[in-house]
Amino acid sequence: MRVLPTKPWGRLRYTHTSTRTYATLAELRNARINAFVHFSNGSEPGQVFPDGPLSGMTIAVKDNICTSDMPTTCSSLMLKDFSSPYDATVVQLLRTAGANIVGKTNCDEFGMGSLNQYSVHGPVINPFGESESRSAGGSSGGSAAAVAAGLCDVALGTDTGGSIRLPASYCGVIGLKPSYGLLSRWGVVSFADTLDCVGIIAKDIESAESVFDCLNIYDPRDPTAATQEVRGRALKSALSDFLDTGSLSGLRIGIPSDYFPRELHPSVVDPLRALLADLKAHGASIVPVSLPSTPYALSAYYVIASAEASSNLARYDGIQYGLHVETLPGSDKRKAASVYSHSRSRGFGPEVKRRILLGTYALTADAFDNYFLQAQRVRKLVRRDFDRVFRAPDV
């Protein structure tokens, strides 16, 4: 086994005959950052892996994506003993392509958080700020930290409101949140159905592209998946002409003035300006655009995401799904709420409880029009802003 230099640590290299050694070294490194919550048991020496475009690549999977050979806890007490009887579609595709699934990564409970601190397994420590206990970002902080620390080549994550983009930025690795519906969500524990996306965190762009190409397949089991027709129309969009030629001459790139508030730090603005200058040097034209509904988008997101989370998490009642806690002596077991409340109070963490309460209130008859319906109207305005500034139609 070789250890190749990378930042902040050497990158572990995997071969099919060194699975146990790989897992042992990974566990030693992981003890310092808490990126993994479970490692694969590995394989017997000499086991044949399928040949494919991802052969020899080590890939970790976020703890809210189902795997048949490892627990799927969503980093929660509610699902601490849950093991899925099947693999999620994206995991099936990885295995078929020859990838080695090395373990499950830590995350905010049920994907709800931005700092990876709301986990029953404890917070993830950013490998680049280990001595200062810096945040790795969330909710896919474990996936980003695992890649940054060299524990794997690529990690799958999920993104509902920045949960791939934030940790990738915090940890200095590549993060790709694909367009909604491109990667299958079948076998992914739902947070907010109209916002959830499976995405990729990788050590470099080439690795992210290789994994994306293997996963970018229509899945009929996912009712939200983009159809073959839509995918075909997207490939024929105007942008494909520039990708084929390698020249950006004639490409117009809109820069929303709404995304540059006065408070934005120069450390963020300066690299972006340098990138825009580079794009312009390659022939692209930079034009200012306005997305006036942007300031209201975050408020709409929290209402919609919390409402959908409240609905999705209602299934975890301690009877059909999730942790079961016995009721206190003298409790009235004839009332369902009395039975459910003990399990849900113990099984859910503070951030999940906050979002359930907020979402449940937004869906009540008294608040529905003023909150949930209003948030849907704002989302429609945000979408109209983008449709207006794009020259190509939204497929």
Side-chain angles (χ1 to χ4, degrees):
M1 176 179 293
R2 290 188 301 143
V3 177
L4 302 182
T6 187
K7 293 181 179 180
W9 296 327
R11 183 168 299 280
L12 289 176
R13 305 303 300 169
Y14 165 82
T15 62
H16 296 327
T17 57
S18 61
T19 308
R20 291 192 180 90
T21 306
Y22 179 95
T24 301
L25 290 177
E27 287 172 0
L28 291 174
R29 289 188 176 182
N30 184 64
R32 298 155 64 182
I33 61 173
N34 199 30
F36 279 88
V37 299
H38 190 89
F39 283 99
S40 171
N41 292 328
S43 59
E44 293 299 323
Q47 178 179 344
V48 178
F49 284 67
D51 290 328
L54 304 182
S55 294
M57 184 176 288
T58 55
I59 299 182
V61 177
K62 187 175 178 180
D63 196 25
N64 63 348
I65 301 175
C66 289
T67 48
S68 58
D69 57 344
M70 290 176 281
T72 302
T73 72
C74 294
S75 294
S76 70
L77 184 62
M78 181 63 80
L79 291 178
K80 70 181 183 68
D81 297 321
F82 176 69
S83 292
S84 170
Y86 57 82
D87 285 331
T89 295
V90 288
V91 175
Q92 291 176 354
L93 293 172
L94 290 177
R95 296 192 198 278
T96 302
N100 178 49
I101 310 297
V102 296
K104 304 296 284 289
T105 55
N106 203 348
C107 63
D108 280 302
E109 184 182 358
F110 287 100
M112 300 181 193
S114 302
L115 299 173
N116 218 141
Q117 62 183 354
Y118 301 113
S119 168
V120 72
H121 305 292
V124 176
I125 305 301
N126 193 321
F128 285 100
E130 183 186 337
S131 60
E132 302 175 10
S133 295
R134 295 180 181 175
S135 170
S139 63
S140 305
S143 293
V147 173
L151 297 174
C152 57
D153 299 315
V154 177
L156 294 189
T158 59
D159 192 309
T160 306
S163 289
I164 284 175
R165 293 160 286 177
L166 282 172
S169 176
Y170 283 26
C171 294
V173 292
I174 302 300
L176 171 64
K177 185 206 102 46
S179 294
Y180 181 84
L182 284 187
L183 303 191
S184 172
R185 290 211 326 261
W186 191 83
V188 178
V189 179
S190 295
F191 167 7
D193 291 337
T194 66
L195 297 166
D196 290 343
C197 295
V198 175
I200 299 161
I201 296 176
K203 62 180 181 178
D204 51 48
I205 292 175
E206 292 74 20
S207 298
E209 183 179 15
S210 298
V211 172
F212 176 76
D213 288 342
C214 291
L215 302 184
N216 184 23
I217 296 174
Y218 170 67
D219 181 9
R221 293 176 294 187
D222 178 6
T224 64
T227 63
Q228 297 286 20
E229 178 190 0
V230 169
R231 293 167 192 264
R233 287 161 58 191
L235 287 174
K236 295 178 181 179
S237 66
L239 187 59
S240 62
D241 297 336
F242 301 101
L243 297 177
D244 293 337
T245 62
S247 171
L248 299 182
S249 179
L251 178 64
R252 302 175 68 199
I253 300 177
I255 307 300
S257 57
D258 316 82
Y259 289 3
F260 292 85
R262 185 176 303 172
E263 298 83 3
L264 202 59
H265 197 274
S267 64
V268 176
V269 178
D270 293 345
L272 181 56
R273 292 192 186 280
L275 172 63
L276 295 178
D278 192 41
L279 291 171
K280 192 173 182 179
H282 282 79
S285 58
I286 308 300
V287 296
V289 298
S290 176
L291 303 173
S293 300
T294 293
Y296 311 106
L298 187 60
S299 298
Y301 159 78
Y302 271 110
V303 173
I304 293 171
S306 297
E308 295 185 10
S310 171
S311 178
N312 279 322
L313 295 179
R315 73 191 70 178
Y316 302 108
D317 53 18
I319 304 298
Q320 299 179 89
Y321 299 99
L323 174 76
H324 176 69
V325 177
E326 291 292 338
T327 57
L328 296 176
S331 298
D332 187 357
K333 295 184 180 181
R334 294 173 299 178
K335 295 181 179 179
S338 299
V339 179
Y340 297 165
S341 61
H342 291 84
S343 297
R344 290 171 66 83
S345 297
R346 175 82 180 279
F348 290 135
E351 181 62 20
V352 173
K353 290 177 183 176
R354 278 192 287 268
R355 301 201 187 199
I356 289 175
L357 291 172
L358 175 61
T360 302
Y361 174 72
L363 291 174
T364 60
D366 291 339
F368 186 85
D369 288 348
N370 289 333
Y371 289 93
F372 186 73
L373 197 59
Q374 194 74 355
Q376 295 286 15
R377 292 186 182 119
V378 171
R379 173 153 71 173
K380 190 173 183 179
L381 292 176
V382 172
R383 178 175 176 175
R384 283 180 179 176
D385 282 349
F386 281 94
D387 288 342
R388 175 176 49 80
V389 299
F390 278 122
R391 183 187 70 175
D394 182 354
V395 298

